[in-house]
Amino acid sequence: MAISPLLTPDAAPVRLPGTGVPTRRGLQPAAAGAAAGFASSGSVSPLAQAAVSLHPVPQAPEDLHPVPQAPEKLHPVPQAPENLHPALWRAHQVARPSEAVLPSGHADLDAQLPGGGWPARVLTELLLPHAGVGELRLLAPVLAALQHRQRAVMWFDPPAEPCAWALAALGLDAGQLLVVRSRSGARGRARQRLPAADVLWALEQALKSGHLGAALAWLPARLPADALRRLQLAAQAHDGPVFLLRDAQERTRPSAAPLRLLLASAGPDQLRVALLKRRGPPLAQPLTLALAPVLSAPALARARAVREPAAATPRVGVPV
């Protein structure tokens, strides 16, 4: 009987580990691996590789034919500068506020203020030729709205004592009004020259507290160079408007306040407002706002009679 060259005469049947294929001792390693379908080193045998090449694994449709991307993904459209950051705006545009604003109660003024109202978390400077031109009647609507929300209003070193019945006529509650006076006791011309350090400190601490609705501060003309910058930084923690009332002569000096208005009387119960500084283009012509009337009918008639002849009389040496 012929004997296979792969077997030795004394080979005995055995089984490969992990398989049910019987074999014999003395089987060559290459033949054993071929019988199990694997090479001796544990890699795929040539027979298995040939089977894979004859039956390749099917690919996904999107791998065979990639979907073209949209043009905007390949070449993104550049954004407008004002959309990159809320603090950016174009020179011909009025900036959009990054914080909340409160309506002023005057539609013509809201149309010119960035965001449509008094800004919060920043300083607003009101420059006056003298006290009593109508600044409190200008601010009465926003102050009354804050008091209606149970938010206190603080006045810092006002030039005169507040009148309760006059405030009530403007819709303000004297019970929610806090008045802070300086300890120096300076009055008159000395008060205009000397900066009250304790009032500045009290104002800064009140703004940082976060428990204030609005603040009005009558500040002297001469302030330290860093006083307004410190107040501007403190106002960023205050969720409400901050009004600084100063002399009109300060309009030519730089200020850290982002919003500056020059106020002047335009007649009985009227106020002229010029926007000196805002986040946007300058306003060419000042606004004339109608204030809440405080004069009786006879007093209003006398005031108009006095003003009309004065306006009709030309000044010497000035063309009319």
Side-chain angles (χ1 to χ4, degrees), residues 18-292:
T19 65
V21 181
T23 182
R24 294 179 182 274
R25 294 176 181 158
L27 188 64
Q28 298 294 334
F38 296 92
S40 59
S41 61
S43 60
V44 181
S45 66
L47 295 178
Q49 293 179 358
V52 172
S53 61
L54 292 177
H55 302 282
V57 179
Q59 298 182 0
E62 58 271 14
D63 296 336
L64 297 176
H65 301 283
V67 179
Q69 296 183 0
E72 57 271 13
K73 293 183 179 180
L74 297 177
H75 304 283
V77 179
Q79 297 184 8
E82 59 270 20
N83 296 332
L84 298 177
H85 195 275
L88 298 177
W89 74 91
R90 297 179 183 269
H92 65 279
Q93 297 175 336
V94 177
R96 296 174 300 178
S98 56
E99 302 292 341
V101 297
L102 290 87
S104 67
H106 306 274
D108 294 341
L109 180 59
D110 288 342
Q112 302 299 332
L113 294 177
W118 299 118
R121 299 182 182 273
V122 297
L123 298 179
T124 298
E125 265 192 327
L126 303 180
L127 305 178
L128 318 173
H130 55 80
V133 297
E135 62 273 17
L136 292 182
R137 285 186 285 172
L138 174 66
L139 302 179
V142 65
L143 299 182
L146 290 172
Q147 287 187 340
H148 185 70
R149 302 178 190 175
Q150 304 301 318
R151 302 293 301 276
V153 176
M154 295 186 69
W155 289 7
F156 293 84
D157 217 4
E161 296 294 334
C163 182
W165 69 265
L167 294 178
L170 297 176
L172 300 177
D173 182 11
Q176 299 186 58
L177 177 63
L178 302 177
V179 179
V180 179
R181 291 288 188 183
S182 62
R183 293 180 299 180
S184 62
R187 292 292 180 267
R189 300 179 64 88
R191 180 184 178 277
Q192 298 177 3
R193 296 193 304 268
L194 300 176
D198 51 353
V199 170
L200 295 177
W201 179 87
L203 175 58
E204 184 177 354
Q205 299 304 315
L207 296 178
K208 293 180 179 180
S209 67
H211 300 287
L212 187 62
L216 280 74
W218 283 262
L219 300 181
R222 298 182 180 180
L223 288 175
D226 61 338
L228 290 178
R229 291 193 295 268
R230 289 177 59 90
L231 292 178
Q232 172 61 25
L233 293 176
Q236 296 178 3
H238 169 57
D239 191 15
V242 184
F243 300 100
L244 304 182
L245 294 92
R246 308 183 65 194
D247 192 87
Q249 296 180 358
E250 300 300 313
R251 62 181 178 179
T252 58
R253 299 184 181 180
S255 173
L259 182 61
R260 306 185 76 191
L261 285 74
L262 178 63
L263 308 184
S265 176
D269 299 331
Q270 290 186 338
L271 183 66
R272 180 179 293 107
V273 179
L275 273 71
L276 302 180
K277 180 182 178 181
R278 63 174 175 175
R279 290 173 175 173
L283 188 62
Q285 298 295 332
L287 303 174
T288 301
L289 305 179
L291 301 177

